[in-house]
Amino acid sequence: MALDGGELGRSAYVGARVSPQRAAIARAADAMTSAFSVDDLLEAVRRQVPGVGAATVYRAVSAMEASGFVESLGVREGSAIYARCHSGEHHHHLVCTGCGAVSDAECPVAPERYTASDGFRVTGHSLVLYGQCAKCQSAPSSISPHGRGGGI
Amino acid sequence: MALDGGELGRSAYVGARVSPQRAAIARAADAMTSAFSVDDLLEAVRRQVPGVGAATVYRAVSAMEASGFVESLGVREGSAIYARCHSGEHHHHLVCTGCGAVSDAECPVAPERYTASDGFRVTGHSLVLYGQCAKCQSAPSSISPHGRGGGI
DNA sequence: ATCTGTGCAAAATCTTTGCATTAGC
DNA sequence: GCTAATGCAAAGATTTTGCACAGAT
């Protein structure tokens, strides 16, 4: 991944203008190794660019989602959570319920498998896999330290 | 799945008490052929039992979800949507993006398929399939393409 | 010069929660 | 009678939206 340099903003997801804020937001999203909420992102971004507004991050996340730079994983504790997509290919995400770590997974869905069913034609799907990462399996299931990227 | 008689409340999802409200809510949920929001449910229930409070429906839906009577499909337009589960078996849902109709689908996910990946152990997943039902394919579909975020 | 992106704050929603009351079991 | 379930209303929280302004193209 390592979108080095400062070119993340320009190459990652494109807004018409590449503002310092959006660049920082993209960089922060890219640095996330776990599933994150808009608030997590806002907090991370503000460490780099103080004063960024929440609305800006919401708007940027919408843009990033629309362009496939991040994917929505659903809702956790009332707020939407996202994961950075490291591949342009169609794929899914494995999310650790212990620490929130996210990794890519290939897609097991074959649309043809369902096409017959009632004449229903499958055109898309949404899948998120949950489980425990190696680290969390060996760890003595202590409750995830409440902090960023905490358990899902 | 015609839960005959008026015994839906008692057999379907169990609260400690079977109130008229919960029975009506269960019946209404069972009658839903499409994905529904809490508000849809509330509206339907009130036609049978006027005066039911929104909080009651929210509480009942939580109970129904916990017992597997309904499943959350995600969020559409800001509110959570659900579908009635007609099988106790593990399964998923096909949701028509045209009319919201829901039907059951078998699960394509083999946890073993992922277990190797980084030592990650898959323990669960969430999948919703989107597409168009036979009816909507022939109809001159007017609205809603397909959106992210569990959109219908 | 134009028009996207920003920030602040108010607004709009959806959900949850507190509390007194009602009513299953 | 014990206690879950209800209803109403207020509280909470997350997102969205309006507006005037700054900055990139």
Side-chain angles (χ1 to χ4, degrees):
Chain A
M1 43 169 208
L3 294 91
D4 40 23
E7 288 305 297
L8 184 54
R10 179 162 276 101
S11 58
Y13 76 98
V14 207
R17 306 287 162 76
V18 182
S19 67
Q21 289 90 338
R22 290 218 167 182
I25 293 169
R27 242 180 290 121
D30 189 60
M32 292 285 181
T33 57
S34 304
F36 58 89
S37 65
V38 169
D39 210 58
D40 294 332
L41 202 50
L42 177 59
E43 197 179 300
V45 170
R46 280 186 171 155
R47 278 198 289 272
Q48 304 297 320
V49 184
V52 172
T56 297
V57 176
Y58 274 101
R59 285 182 279 229
V61 168
S62 294
M64 292 194 289
E65 188 181 4
S67 69
F69 187 66
V70 300
E71 189 202 1
S72 166
L73 297 184
V75 174
R76 174 187 68 184
E77 289 166 20
S79 41
I81 56 172
Y82 302 83
R84 167 81 169 87
C85 289
H86 290 92
S87 150
E89 305 291 296
H90 173 73
H91 66 287
H92 298 288
H93 296 280
L94 285 163
V95 183
C96 176
T97 56
C99 64
V102 174
S103 56
D104 290 5
E106 51 181 274
C107 179
V109 179
E112 314 81 63
R113 177 173 186 160
Y114 301 97
T115 15
S117 173
D118 309 41
F120 199 104
R121 186 179 52 188
V122 173
T123 58
H125 58 270
S126 148
L127 168 67
V128 180
L129 297 147
Y130 298 100
Q132 296 219 285
C133 65
K135 214 170 291 178
C136 288
Q137 281 177 58
S138 49
S141 73
S142 56
I143 302 177
S144 56
H146 47 153
R148 286 289 74 80
I152 293 270
Chain B
M1 167 171 287
L3 291 94
D4 41 23
E7 290 306 296
L8 184 54
R10 179 163 274 99
S11 58
Y13 78 98
V14 208
R17 307 287 162 76
V18 181
S19 65
Q21 290 89 336
R22 289 218 169 183
I25 292 168
R27 244 180 289 120
D30 190 61
M32 291 286 180
T33 56
S34 304
F36 58 90
S37 65
V38 169
D39 210 60
D40 294 333
L41 202 50
L42 178 59
E43 196 179 300
V45 170
R46 279 189 170 154
R47 278 197 289 272
Q48 305 296 317
V49 184
V52 172
T56 297
V57 176
Y58 274 101
R59 284 183 280 230
V61 167
S62 294
M64 293 194 288
E65 189 180 6
S67 69
F69 187 66
V70 300
E71 187 201 2
S72 166
L73 298 185
V75 174
R76 176 187 63 185
E77 288 168 21
S79 42
I81 57 172
Y82 302 85
R84 167 82 169 86
C85 289
H86 290 92
S87 152
E89 306 291 297
H90 173 74
H91 66 289
H92 298 288
H93 296 280
L94 285 164
V95 183
C96 176
T97 55
C99 63
V102 174
S103 56
D104 288 5
E106 52 182 272
C107 180
V109 178
E112 315 80 63
R113 177 173 186 160
Y114 301 98
T115 14
S117 174
D118 309 40
F120 199 104
R121 187 178 52 189
V122 173
T123 58
H125 58 270
S126 143
L127 170 65
V128 180
L129 297 146
Y130 299 99
Q132 296 219 283
C133 66
K135 214 169 291 176
C136 288
Q137 280 178 58
S138 48
S141 79
S142 46
I143 32 175
S144 80
H146 51 60
R148 182 64 278 309
I152 291 202

